[in-house]
Amino acid sequence: MKICVHGAGAWGTAVAVNAAARHEVTLWARDAAQADAMSAARENSRYLPGLALPASLAVRAGDIGQAQAGADLVIVATPMAALRAQLVALRGTSAAVAWLCKGVEPALGTSSPASFGLLAHEIWAQVAPELRAGVLSGPSFAQEVAEGRPTALVAASPHAAVRDMLVEAFHGPALRVYANEDIVGVEVGGAVKNVLAIATGLCDGLALGLNARAALITRGLAEMTRFGLALGARAETFMGLSGLGDLVLTSTGDLSRNRKVGLLLAQGRTLAQAVDSLGHVAEGVYCARTVVQRARGLGIEMPIAEGVVALLDGRVSPQDAVAALVGREPVPESVQLQQSGAAASPRQSS
C-alpha cells in the first residue's frame, strides 16, 4: 500500500514508522527545514528524539499534492485546529483519508451550529462529505507506538472499505487495529478523555489518593457516555478501547500531556506556564470549553468537565475545583448508570 502521512509531529512520525515496515510511506512535514533535518539525521529530534527512522521512510516537504500523488491512504496527523483546512485541501482525492487528532474544533464564534465546536466527523460532513474517510483512535502514546510496544487501536468509519484499509495498513505483531462502525462514539471518547485527564491529574497533584482517582475516572466515564449518547453514539463503544481504554491511559499514564496539565496546575503553575512547558499540544485545554458548551446545549450534565473549565478560566483554585467535585450531593448510583446508559435511548419516553 502507498501511504502519505500529513504532519511530522510525534504521532504522525510514530504511525509512519510503524507502517513503513510493510508499506511505501511518505511523511510530509509543513516545515521544509524540519523535513531536511529529519532526512539527514534519520531522526525526529524535536518530537521523538533517539528513535531511528527506517531507511524506507521518505520525509518530504513542499508540494503536498506531489507527496500524496498515487497514494492509497492519506493520514492526517495534525492538531484538531488544522483538520478543516486539511480536509478542504484533500477534496477530490481518490485516496481513503483518516485523521488521528482527538478533540473538538475550536468554537467559531458565530451563530451557526458550528459555533459550539465540531467533532472531526462533523467537520468532514461539512466540508468534504465526498471523501471516503474515518478515524484511527484508541489508547496510545506516540512514543510507545514508535518503539514497537504492544498497542491496540480502533479504526472507525461508516465506510467498510476505509475500516478494512486502516486495518491492513497498521495491524501487525505489536500494533493491533480493530474495526468499529461507531465513529461518533470513538471520537467522543477521544475528545472527552482529554478533559477528564486534566481533572485526574489535578486530583493526583493534590495527593488525594488512588481511591479518589478511581472514583473520578468512573464518574468521568459516565459523563463521557451521557454526552456521546446524546450525539448518537452507541453505549458499548464507551466500554471499549476508545472509551474506557483511552480514558484510563490518558488519566493515569505519565506520558499524558493532559494529565500533566492537571499536575502542574495543582502545583500552582498558571495555565500559560503549564501549556508552555509541554512543547506539544494538550487538546483537553482547547476543547474543554466547547465540550461543556455543547453539553449544555444538549441538556447534559458534565460536572467534572464544568469544573475543569472553571479551573482553566481561573474562576476557582485547584483546591476549590476538587472540593466542588468530591463534595457534590450524593444520588443513588443506579440513577447515574441509568442516565448514562439510557438517557439518549430512542425507546425512552420523556
Side-chain angles (χ1 to χ4, degrees):
M1 188 184 299
K2 187 173 182 180
I3 301 171
C4 180
V5 179
H6 292 201
W11 195 211
T13 302
V15 298
V17 167
N18 176 275
R22 300 175 302 281
H23 305 283
E24 180 184 347
V25 182
T26 298
L27 178 60
W28 183 82
R30 181 172 54 87
D31 185 345
Q34 181 192 10
D36 291 343
M38 290 175 62
S39 294
R42 304 310 300 171
E43 175 187 8
N44 188 336
S45 58
R46 180 177 179 183
Y47 293 108
L48 290 174
L51 176 74
L53 302 180
S56 59
L57 176 62
V59 183
R60 300 282 185 268
D63 184 3
I64 185 61
Q66 183 179 5
Q68 68 188 31
D72 303 297
L73 175 64
V74 174
I75 301 294
V76 179
T78 64
M80 179 61 72
L83 179 62
R84 179 179 293 269
Q86 288 286 315
L87 293 180
V88 169
L90 287 167
R91 285 174 177 164
T93 184
S94 60
V97 176
W99 45 86
L100 306 180
C101 44
K102 302 174 182 179
V104 179
E105 185 180 43
L108 301 180
T110 70
S111 59
S112 72
S115 63
F116 285 133
L118 301 180
L119 292 160
H121 73 276
E122 295 172 318
I123 302 171
W124 164 38
Q126 188 179 86
V127 303
E130 73 281 3
L131 294 176
R132 295 178 299 126
V135 61
L136 188 66
S137 190
S140 51
F141 290 135
Q143 182 72 41
E144 293 192 0
V145 170
E147 293 170 353
R149 300 195 184 194
T151 304
L153 299 177
V154 177
S157 172
H159 301 287
V162 174
R163 299 194 299 269
D164 292 344
M165 187 171 287
L166 288 169
V167 172
E168 180 185 351
F170 297 107
H171 191 84
L175 182 60
R176 317 301 284 179
V177 182
Y178 300 91
N180 191 325
E181 298 178 9
D182 184 15
I183 192 171
V184 178
V186 168
E187 290 194 340
V188 167
V192 177
K193 59 94 181 182
N194 288 326
V195 181
L196 300 174
I198 296 175
T200 310
L202 179 67
C203 176
D204 288 348
L206 294 175
L208 298 186
L210 299 179
N211 295 345
R213 177 202 284 179
L216 195 58
I217 290 174
T218 305
R219 291 173 60 186
L221 179 62
E223 285 193 19
M224 175 193 293
T225 304
R226 286 197 297 271
F227 184 59
L229 290 175
L231 291 173
R234 300 175 183 174
E236 61 268 23
T237 299
F238 299 103
M239 298 307 298
L241 290 166
S242 60
L244 179 60
D246 212 355
L247 174 60
V248 169
L249 179 74
T250 310
S251 296
T252 65
D254 290 336
L255 294 176
S256 168
R257 296 190 294 271
N258 293 283
R259 168 178 161 76
K260 187 174 181 181
V261 168
L263 289 169
L264 292 172
L265 292 174
Q267 294 170 10
R269 305 283 187 89
T270 66
L271 178 59
Q273 289 171 338
V275 171
D276 289 345
S277 72
L278 297 177
H280 300 261
V281 174
E283 290 284 3
V285 173
Y286 303 102
C287 77
R289 296 175 184 84
T290 49
V291 165
V292 166
Q293 195 175 19
R294 286 199 73 167
R296 288 172 178 168
L298 294 165
I300 302 299
E301 283 195 2
M302 299 187 71
I304 298 175
E306 293 264 10
V308 169
V309 171
L311 177 67
L312 297 178
D313 287 347
R315 290 184 277 118
V316 296
S317 69
Q319 292 77 9
D320 289 342
V322 170
L325 292 177
V326 301
R328 286 177 57 83
E329 289 297 321
V331 297
E333 185 180 36
S334 59
V335 173
Q336 293 187 353
L337 294 176
Q338 289 170 2
Q339 290 174 344
S340 299
S345 170
R347 296 188 297 272
Q348 183 184 13
S349 66
S350 58

